[in-house]
Amino acid sequence: MTHLTWTGLALVLLAVAALACWNWRSNRQLQQLDQRIRRQRELLEQIDSVLENPHLSEEQQLIRSEALLAKLRESSKP
């Protein structure tokens, strides 16, 4: 094989490795985003259940929902 062939092969392998690395990183970021979305959805559902709970006073609903809202705000930070 010629020097040009080896150089071309090395460039192709380098491009494939770079693409694989970029793909892995993107997948990891998507998984982290998906986990954050799931957690936020759970917190929103908990807030809804607190606000719809007839056994809690308005004050208890407010205290619990504000605590959950603080967690939700914290989870929205990157």
Side-chain angles (χ1 to χ4, degrees), residues 38-69:
R38 275 192 250 130
R39 179 66 181 145
Q40 289 176 348
R41 184 182 318 125
E42 290 171 3
L43 288 168
L44 287 171
E45 289 172 358
Q46 289 176 15
I47 290 171
D48 282 343
S49 68
V50 165
L51 294 175
E52 294 174 358
N53 188 340
H55 303 294
L56 296 175
S57 68
E58 285 185 31
E59 184 179 341
Q60 290 172 323
Q61 287 178 342
L62 182 63
I63 292 169
R64 290 183 184 183
S65 62
E66 284 180 347
L68 290 168
L69 188 58

Side-chain angles (χ1 to χ4, degrees), residues 10 19 25 27 51 53 72:
L19 182 61
R25 186 173 176 261
N27 283 338
L51 294 175
N53 188 340
L72 181 63

Side-chain angles (χ1 to χ4, degrees), residues 8-43:
L9 181 60
L11 288 174
V12 168
L13 289 175
L14 183 61
V16 168
L19 182 61
C21 183
W22 178 80
N23 190 33
W24 173 80
R25 186 173 176 261
S26 295
N27 283 338
R28 197 176 97 213
Q29 288 176 334
L30 285 174
Q31 287 173 349
Q32 290 172 345
L33 182 60
D34 186 50
Q35 288 173 353
R36 209 166 90 199
I37 289 169
R38 275 192 250 130
R39 179 66 181 145
Q40 289 176 348
R41 184 182 318 125
E42 290 171 3
L43 288 168

